[in-house]
Amino acid sequence: MPHLDKNLTKIPLPDANVWYAASFFTTETSDLYFKQLMEQVNWKQEKIKMFGKEILLPRLTAWYGDKSYTYSGLNNKPQPWLPVLLQIKEQVEAATGHKYNSVLLNHYQTGQNSMGWHSDDEPELGPEPNIASVSFGAERRFGFRHRHDKAQKNLYLLIKHGSLLLMQGPTQHNWQHAIPKTAQQTGSRINLTFRTIVG
Ligand SMILES: O=C(O)CCC(=O)C(=O)O
Ligand SMILES: [Mn+2]
């Protein structure tokens, strides 16, 4: 299978450009980042409006970076970069060959926390967004679902502690992704998606 960086392997998904490195960070480094992010990030459970009703997001979130960003109707005012986030960003930029100016963080506290099917296709991400996704903590299933071609089967990856997943090119146009709930006993998982807000 083709390789981008020494660790990144291409996922065979048609109409997409997705790369994955299961052990992007060592276990030791991943344990340290997990602890620092748990303690230092300003985690909040946000309320969003859905069908005219206020609901709580089923996970904790935080937004850091240089630009604000509208997502699920929330205008996310960025918080200034933390040193740990800049450290991770630099390594991700070197491996993926892209620069990022923001990061959205998600903290899934149990298997009941989740992320519904969506594409990261907001206009401020530009026509072909580069989304670099780093995960620490519990392993969770990450699903891909084709947006237009019913013949394409869903694909599920088990996302590892210290891994990197890169979605680029036409991926967001053609596929949605999600973190489904699980009935299994699952500890905390933290995910960081590095993005570039244009304009
Ligand atoms: O937690 C994940 O792996 C996915 C996060 C995600 O899709 C997002 O933040 O847009
Ligand atoms: Mn996403």
Side-chain angles (χ1 to χ4, degrees), residues 6 8 12 15 21 45 55 60 63 67 69 71 75 92 94 99 134 147 160 180 187 196:
K6 62 186 186 326
L8 281 161
D15 314 325
Q45 190 174 15
I55 62 153
L60 306 180
W63 178 251
K67 305 242 169 112
Y69 176 48
Y71 138 94
N75 185 19
V92 168
K99 293 278 184 190
V134 172
R147 290 173 74 170
K160 303 270 185 190
T196 306

PDB file of all heavy atoms in Angstrom, residues 6 8 12 15 21 45 55 60 63 67 69 71 75 92 94 99 134 147 160 180 187 196:
ATOM      1  N   LYS A   6       6.488   8.082   6.686  1.00  0.00           N
ATOM      2  CA  LYS A   6       6.940   6.716   7.008  1.00  0.00           C
ATOM      3  C   LYS A   6       5.845   5.859   7.647  1.00  0.00           C
ATOM      4  O   LYS A   6       5.819   4.650   7.483  1.00  0.00           O
ATOM      5  CB  LYS A   6       8.189   6.747   7.899  1.00  0.00           C
ATOM      6  CG  LYS A   6       7.971   7.399   9.256  1.00  0.00           C
ATOM      7  CD  LYS A   6       9.303   7.502   9.985  1.00  0.00           C
ATOM      8  CE  LYS A   6       9.245   7.991  11.401  1.00  0.00           C
ATOM      9  NZ  LYS A   6       8.277   8.962  11.805  1.00  0.00           N
ATOM     10  N   LEU A   8       2.276   6.731   7.549  1.00  0.00           N
ATOM     11  CA  LEU A   8       0.912   6.878   7.018  1.00  0.00           C
ATOM     12  C   LEU A   8       0.644   5.930   5.851  1.00  0.00           C
ATOM     13  O   LEU A   8       1.387   5.905   4.875  1.00  0.00           O
ATOM     14  CB  LEU A   8       0.671   8.323   6.565  1.00  0.00           C
ATOM     15  CG  LEU A   8       0.373   9.333   7.670  1.00  0.00           C
ATOM     16  CD1 LEU A   8       0.607  10.759   7.173  1.00  0.00           C
ATOM     17  CD2 LEU A   8      -1.061   9.204   8.190  1.00  0.00           C
ATOM     18  N   PRO A  12      -8.005   2.184   1.523  1.00  0.00           N
ATOM     19  CA  PRO A  12      -8.610   1.990   0.199  1.00  0.00           C
ATOM     20  C   PRO A  12     -10.093   2.358   0.189  1.00  0.00           C
ATOM     21  O   PRO A  12     -10.960   1.505   0.298  1.00  0.00           O
ATOM     22  CB  PRO A  12      -8.393   0.484  -0.063  1.00  0.00           C
ATOM     23  CG  PRO A  12      -8.265  -0.134   1.284  1.00  0.00           C
ATOM     24  CD  PRO A  12      -7.749   0.913   2.228  1.00  0.00           C
ATOM     25  N   ASP A  15     -13.250   7.472  -4.202  1.00  0.00           N
ATOM     26  CA  ASP A  15     -13.720   8.878  -4.188  1.00  0.00           C
ATOM     27  C   ASP A  15     -13.232   9.621  -2.957  1.00  0.00           C
ATOM     28  O   ASP A  15     -13.891  10.563  -2.491  1.00  0.00           O
ATOM     29  CB  ASP A  15     -15.263   8.986  -4.205  1.00  0.00           C
ATOM     30  CG  ASP A  15     -15.928   8.083  -5.218  1.00  0.00           C
ATOM     31  OD1 ASP A  15     -15.327   7.890  -6.290  1.00  0.00           O
ATOM     32  OD2 ASP A  15     -17.036   7.579  -4.949  1.00  0.00           O
ATOM     33  N   ALA A  21      -2.150   6.367  10.361  1.00  0.00           N
ATOM     34  CA  ALA A  21      -0.976   5.840  11.054  1.00  0.00           C
ATOM     35  C   ALA A  21      -1.435   5.413  12.439  1.00  0.00           C
ATOM     36  O   ALA A  21      -1.811   6.257  13.261  1.00  0.00           O
ATOM     37  CB  ALA A  21       0.114   6.893  11.148  1.00  0.00           C
ATOM     38  N   GLN A  45     -19.421  21.274  27.878  1.00  0.00           N
ATOM     39  CA  GLN A  45     -20.511  20.610  27.165  1.00  0.00           C
ATOM     40  C   GLN A  45     -21.417  21.695  26.591  1.00  0.00           C
ATOM     41  O   GLN A  45     -22.160  22.349  27.332  1.00  0.00           O
ATOM     42  CB  GLN A  45     -21.284  19.645  28.072  1.00  0.00           C
ATOM     43  CG  GLN A  45     -22.247  18.791  27.254  1.00  0.00           C
ATOM     44  CD  GLN A  45     -22.954  17.715  28.065  1.00  0.00           C
ATOM     45  OE1 GLN A  45     -22.961  17.733  29.287  1.00  0.00           O
ATOM     46  NE2 GLN A  45     -23.573  16.774  27.348  1.00  0.00           N
ATOM     47  N   ILE A  55     -30.379  21.335  22.693  1.00  0.00           N
ATOM     48  CA  ILE A  55     -29.902  20.041  23.184  1.00  0.00           C
ATOM     49  C   ILE A  55     -28.430  20.158  23.578  1.00  0.00           C
ATOM     50  O   ILE A  55     -27.709  20.994  23.054  1.00  0.00           O
ATOM     51  CB  ILE A  55     -30.088  18.892  22.160  1.00  0.00           C
ATOM     52  CG1 ILE A  55     -29.270  19.162  20.884  1.00  0.00           C
ATOM     53  CG2 ILE A  55     -31.547  18.649  21.828  1.00  0.00           C
ATOM     54  CD1 ILE A  55     -28.871  17.913  20.161  1.00  0.00           C
ATOM     55  N   LEU A  60     -17.782  16.442  25.258  1.00  0.00           N
ATOM     56  CA  LEU A  60     -17.225  17.751  25.621  1.00  0.00           C
ATOM     57  C   LEU A  60     -16.404  18.262  24.440  1.00  0.00           C
ATOM     58  O   LEU A  60     -15.809  17.462  23.708  1.00  0.00           O
ATOM     59  CB  LEU A  60     -16.335  17.625  26.864  1.00  0.00           C
ATOM     60  CG  LEU A  60     -16.970  16.965  28.091  1.00  0.00           C
ATOM     61  CD1 LEU A  60     -15.972  16.912  29.249  1.00  0.00           C
ATOM     62  CD2 LEU A  60     -18.239  17.698  28.518  1.00  0.00           C
ATOM     63  N   TRP A  63     -12.248  24.635  21.389  1.00  0.00           N
ATOM     64  CA  TRP A  63     -11.791  25.182  20.098  1.00  0.00           C
ATOM     65  C   TRP A  63     -10.595  26.095  20.355  1.00  0.00           C
ATOM     66  O   TRP A  63     -10.711  27.051  21.133  1.00  0.00           O
ATOM     67  CB  TRP A  63     -12.947  25.963  19.461  1.00  0.00           C
ATOM     68  CG  TRP A  63     -12.635  26.614  18.160  1.00  0.00           C
ATOM     69  CD1 TRP A  63     -12.499  27.947  17.929  1.00  0.00           C
ATOM     70  CD2 TRP A  63     -12.432  25.962  16.905  1.00  0.00           C
ATOM     71  NE1 TRP A  63     -12.222  28.155  16.606  1.00  0.00           N
ATOM     72  CE2 TRP A  63     -12.167  26.960  15.955  1.00  0.00           C
ATOM     73  CE3 TRP A  63     -12.436  24.613  16.496  1.00  0.00           C
ATOM     74  CZ2 TRP A  63     -11.918  26.665  14.618  1.00  0.00           C
ATOM     75  CZ3 TRP A  63     -12.189  24.324  15.163  1.00  0.00           C
ATOM     76  CH2 TRP A  63     -11.937  25.340  14.241  1.00  0.00           C
ATOM     77  N   LYS A  67      -8.434  31.603  14.380  1.00  0.00           N
ATOM     78  CA  LYS A  67      -9.644  32.146  13.743  1.00  0.00           C
ATOM     79  C   LYS A  67     -10.896  31.555  14.391  1.00  0.00           C
ATOM     80  O   LYS A  67     -10.875  30.414  14.830  1.00  0.00           O
ATOM     81  CB  LYS A  67      -9.675  31.743  12.250  1.00  0.00           C
ATOM     82  CG  LYS A  67      -8.431  32.130  11.463  1.00  0.00           C
ATOM     83  CD  LYS A  67      -8.765  33.102  10.355  1.00  0.00           C
ATOM     84  CE  LYS A  67      -7.510  33.689   9.750  1.00  0.00           C
ATOM     85  NZ  LYS A  67      -7.250  33.269   8.403  1.00  0.00           N
ATOM     86  N   TYR A  69     -14.877  30.115  14.177  1.00  0.00           N
ATOM     87  CA  TYR A  69     -15.393  29.064  13.321  1.00  0.00           C
ATOM     88  C   TYR A  69     -16.833  28.786  13.712  1.00  0.00           C
ATOM     89  O   TYR A  69     -17.131  28.660  14.894  1.00  0.00           O
ATOM     90  CB  TYR A  69     -14.513  27.836  13.550  1.00  0.00           C
ATOM     91  CG  TYR A  69     -14.900  26.571  12.845  1.00  0.00           C
ATOM     92  CD1 TYR A  69     -15.197  26.573  11.483  1.00  0.00           C
ATOM     93  CD2 TYR A  69     -14.924  25.361  13.512  1.00  0.00           C
ATOM     94  CE1 TYR A  69     -15.512  25.399  10.835  1.00  0.00           C
ATOM     95  CE2 TYR A  69     -15.233  24.178  12.872  1.00  0.00           C
ATOM     96  CZ  TYR A  69     -15.527  24.207  11.535  1.00  0.00           C
ATOM     97  OH  TYR A  69     -15.826  23.039  10.898  1.00  0.00           O
ATOM     98  N   TYR A  71     -19.897  26.261  13.783  1.00  0.00           N
ATOM     99  CA  TYR A  71     -20.106  24.816  13.647  1.00  0.00           C
ATOM    100  C   TYR A  71     -21.306  24.428  14.493  1.00  0.00           C
ATOM    101  O   TYR A  71     -21.470  24.943  15.598  1.00  0.00           O
ATOM    102  CB  TYR A  71     -18.797  24.117  14.042  1.00  0.00           C
ATOM    103  CG  TYR A  71     -18.874  22.891  14.884  1.00  0.00           C
ATOM    104  CD1 TYR A  71     -18.885  21.627  14.301  1.00  0.00           C
ATOM    105  CD2 TYR A  71     -18.925  22.979  16.264  1.00  0.00           C
ATOM    106  CE1 TYR A  71     -18.935  20.495  15.073  1.00  0.00           C
ATOM    107  CE2 TYR A  71     -18.975  21.853  17.047  1.00  0.00           C
ATOM    108  CZ  TYR A  71     -18.982  20.622  16.448  1.00  0.00           C
ATOM    109  OH  TYR A  71     -19.024  19.517  17.227  1.00  0.00           O
ATOM    110  N   ASN A  75     -20.959  29.789  17.230  1.00  0.00           N
ATOM    111  CA  ASN A  75     -19.820  30.577  16.786  1.00  0.00           C
ATOM    112  C   ASN A  75     -18.695  30.371  17.798  1.00  0.00           C
ATOM    113  O   ASN A  75     -18.734  30.872  18.904  1.00  0.00           O
ATOM    114  CB  ASN A  75     -20.186  32.050  16.644  1.00  0.00           C
ATOM    115  CG  ASN A  75     -19.038  32.861  16.065  1.00  0.00           C
ATOM    116  OD1 ASN A  75     -18.122  32.304  15.466  1.00  0.00           O
ATOM    117  ND2 ASN A  75     -19.090  34.164  16.248  1.00  0.00           N
ATOM    118  N   VAL A  92       2.237  16.993  13.363  1.00  0.00           N
ATOM    119  CA  VAL A  92       1.209  16.636  12.382  1.00  0.00           C
ATOM    120  C   VAL A  92       1.463  17.381  11.062  1.00  0.00           C
ATOM    121  O   VAL A  92       1.321  16.811   9.974  1.00  0.00           O
ATOM    122  CB  VAL A  92      -0.196  16.940  12.961  1.00  0.00           C
ATOM    123  CG1 VAL A  92      -1.273  16.863  11.897  1.00  0.00           C
ATOM    124  CG2 VAL A  92      -0.511  15.969  14.107  1.00  0.00           C
ATOM    125  N   ALA A  94       4.384  18.359   9.905  1.00  0.00           N
ATOM    126  CA  ALA A  94       5.554  17.753   9.262  1.00  0.00           C
ATOM    127  C   ALA A  94       5.168  16.459   8.543  1.00  0.00           C
ATOM    128  O   ALA A  94       5.649  16.187   7.439  1.00  0.00           O
ATOM    129  CB  ALA A  94       6.641  17.493  10.295  1.00  0.00           C
ATOM    130  N   LYS A  99      -0.338  22.933   6.571  1.00  0.00           N
ATOM    131  CA  LYS A  99      -0.340  23.808   7.746  1.00  0.00           C
ATOM    132  C   LYS A  99      -1.770  23.916   8.264  1.00  0.00           C
ATOM    133  O   LYS A  99      -2.716  23.851   7.473  1.00  0.00           O
ATOM    134  CB  LYS A  99       0.163  25.212   7.363  1.00  0.00           C
ATOM    135  CG  LYS A  99       1.629  25.246   6.971  1.00  0.00           C
ATOM    136  CD  LYS A  99       2.488  25.298   8.212  1.00  0.00           C
ATOM    137  CE  LYS A  99       3.963  25.439   7.852  1.00  0.00           C
ATOM    138  NZ  LYS A  99       4.809  25.253   9.051  1.00  0.00           N
ATOM    139  N   VAL A 134      -6.125  13.436  15.369  1.00  0.00           N
ATOM    140  CA  VAL A 134      -5.242  12.725  16.288  1.00  0.00           C
ATOM    141  C   VAL A 134      -6.084  12.230  17.464  1.00  0.00           C
ATOM    142  O   VAL A 134      -6.931  12.972  17.964  1.00  0.00           O
ATOM    143  CB  VAL A 134      -4.127  13.678  16.789  1.00  0.00           C
ATOM    144  CG1 VAL A 134      -3.307  13.042  17.889  1.00  0.00           C
ATOM    145  CG2 VAL A 134      -3.233  14.112  15.632  1.00  0.00           C
ATOM    146  N   ARG A 147     -21.825   9.455   0.544  1.00  0.00           N
ATOM    147  CA  ARG A 147     -22.934  10.411   0.503  1.00  0.00           C
ATOM    148  C   ARG A 147     -23.855  10.215  -0.691  1.00  0.00           C
ATOM    149  O   ARG A 147     -25.012  10.635  -0.650  1.00  0.00           O
ATOM    150  CB  ARG A 147     -22.396  11.854   0.479  1.00  0.00           C
ATOM    151  CG  ARG A 147     -21.761  12.253   1.787  1.00  0.00           C
ATOM    152  CD  ARG A 147     -21.093  13.607   1.698  1.00  0.00           C
ATOM    153  NE  ARG A 147     -22.062  14.691   1.670  1.00  0.00           N
ATOM    154  CZ  ARG A 147     -21.721  15.979   1.792  1.00  0.00           C
ATOM    155  NH1 ARG A 147     -20.436  16.323   1.953  1.00  0.00           N
ATOM    156  NH2 ARG A 147     -22.633  16.919   1.755  1.00  0.00           N
ATOM    157  N   LYS A 160      -6.855   4.005  17.148  1.00  0.00           N
ATOM    158  CA  LYS A 160      -5.958   3.668  18.265  1.00  0.00           C
ATOM    159  C   LYS A 160      -5.430   4.886  19.027  1.00  0.00           C
ATOM    160  O   LYS A 160      -5.358   5.988  18.480  1.00  0.00           O
ATOM    161  CB  LYS A 160      -4.736   2.909  17.710  1.00  0.00           C
ATOM    162  CG  LYS A 160      -5.070   1.663  16.940  1.00  0.00           C
ATOM    163  CD  LYS A 160      -5.110   0.466  17.850  1.00  0.00           C
ATOM    164  CE  LYS A 160      -5.314  -0.826  17.076  1.00  0.00           C
ATOM    165  NZ  LYS A 160      -5.580  -1.960  17.962  1.00  0.00           N
ATOM    166  N   PRO A 180     -19.864   6.253  16.338  1.00  0.00           N
ATOM    167  CA  PRO A 180     -21.121   5.750  16.907  1.00  0.00           C
ATOM    168  C   PRO A 180     -21.006   5.464  18.401  1.00  0.00           C
ATOM    169  O   PRO A 180     -19.920   5.202  18.908  1.00  0.00           O
ATOM    170  CB  PRO A 180     -21.373   4.451  16.130  1.00  0.00           C
ATOM    171  CG  PRO A 180     -20.313   4.336  15.096  1.00  0.00           C
ATOM    172  CD  PRO A 180     -19.222   5.293  15.436  1.00  0.00           C
ATOM    173  N   GLY A 187     -13.543   3.698  28.287  1.00  0.00           N
ATOM    174  CA  GLY A 187     -13.019   4.849  29.013  1.00  0.00           C
ATOM    175  C   GLY A 187     -13.011   6.093  28.148  1.00  0.00           C
ATOM    176  O   GLY A 187     -13.576   6.116  27.048  1.00  0.00           O
ATOM    177  N   THR A 196      -7.784  24.065   8.638  1.00  0.00           N
ATOM    178  CA  THR A 196      -7.368  25.379   8.160  1.00  0.00           C
ATOM    179  C   THR A 196      -8.598  26.187   7.810  1.00  0.00           C
ATOM    180  O   THR A 196      -9.355  25.792   6.920  1.00  0.00           O
ATOM    181  CB  THR A 196      -6.425  25.267   6.952  1.00  0.00           C
ATOM    182  OG1 THR A 196      -5.346  24.424   7.329  1.00  0.00           O
ATOM    183  CG2 THR A 196      -5.895  26.625   6.549  1.00  0.00           C
TER     184      THR A 196
END
